[in-house]
Amino acid sequence: MAYQKRTKDQLAARVAQDIPEGAVVNLGIGQPTLVANHIPKEREVLLHSENGLLGMGPAPAPGQEDYDLINAGKQPVTLLPGGSYFHHTDSFAMMRGGHLDICVLGAFQVSATGDLANWHTGEKDAIPAVGGAMDLAVGARQTWVMMDLLTKQGESKVVQACTYPLTGIACVKRIYSDLCTLDCTPQGLKLIDLVDGLTHAELEKMIGLPIQA
């Protein structure tokens, strides 16, 4: 049986599924912003954006965009009742002060023990983009990564040790990918789930590392 990758929306829905009632969550730039569209309406989750928003809602309907109301990736968003705007400094104080339950970030590489590399590939022509990633990675109570498992060249982004410049050390708790969900532990990777049709053995071969069942 051939396996089918999760679409970006299916992956966002998988992340949203694990966000508990009452959590304060930062959604990083890129794929993580899609998570806002999949949080169940009956579940109260406070979404934070590092440019100074708390109580962010899903993307606006076409034609309803307000470009004075954007997330950190400059995408138009909505604000739920009770939501608020505030200064960038206050936003970073929230991030650094342990007030976020979860942050969901993209990544270039994640090590088996949870080291994160997501701001620079180290290549000469690459544009580094630190943003708030370092503050989020160490400031949130849990750091989750949301990404494609493989690069366009077919190499695993989950590695034994990161070769790109690090954002944080042993900060990632969970990896949500288009093929599987993994926990990062001091003992290495632990399997949470994988897409239909993909076997544990195939996943281990793809990543090149042992994965606890």
Side-chain angles (χ1 to χ4, degrees), residues 155-169:
E155 297 172 353
S156 174
K157 295 183 183 181
V158 179
V159 294
Q160 181 65 44
C162 296
T163 56
Y164 294 152
L166 289 180
T167 305
I169 296 172

Side-chain angles (χ1 to χ4, degrees), residues 105-107 109-117 137 142-146 168-176 182-186:
L105 301 174
Q109 288 179 332
V110 182
S111 80
T113 53
D115 297 344
L116 172 66
Q142 287 191 51
T143 298
W144 296 353
V145 161
M146 178 182 174
I169 296 172
C171 57
V172 177
K173 172 160 178 59
R174 184 163 286 188
I175 300 166
Y176 292 87
L182 302 165
D183 269 350
C184 297
T185 77

Side-chain angles (χ1 to χ4, degrees), residues 32-69:
T33 59
L34 295 174
V35 174
N37 300 333
H38 295 276
I39 293 171
K41 288 184 170 61
E42 67 277 5
R43 190 181 305 168
E44 184 177 27
V45 172
L46 283 172
L47 294 180
H48 171 271
S49 184
E50 69 185 64
N51 57 319
L53 285 177
L54 190 64
M56 188 168 58
Q64 299 298 310
E65 299 90 347
D66 177 357
Y67 283 91
D68 287 328
L69 180 54

Side-chain angles (χ1 to χ4, degrees), residues 37-137:
N37 300 333
H38 295 276
I39 293 171
K41 288 184 170 61
E42 67 277 5
R43 190 181 305 168
E44 184 177 27
V45 172
L46 283 172
L47 294 180
H48 171 271
S49 184
E50 69 185 64
N51 57 319
L53 285 177
L54 190 64
M56 188 168 58
Q64 299 298 310
E65 299 90 347
D66 177 357
Y67 283 91
D68 287 328
L69 180 54
I70 58 173
N71 63 19
K74 301 180 179 63
Q75 297 168 309
V77 295
T78 56
L79 198 68
L80 299 179
S84 61
Y85 315 99
F86 35 86
H87 195 278
H88 219 104
T89 304
D90 296 320
S91 183
F92 271 72
M94 288 181 190
M95 291 154 55
R96 294 168 178 168
H99 303 289
L100 300 179
D101 296 303
I102 299 164
C103 69
V104 185
L105 301 174
F108 296 131
Q109 288 179 332
V110 182
S111 80
T113 53
D115 297 344
L116 172 66
N118 80 341
W119 70 279
H120 193 19
T121 60
E123 296 172 8
K124 289 181 180 178
D125 59 346
I127 301 171
V130 179
M134 293 175 183
D135 304 88
L136 287 164

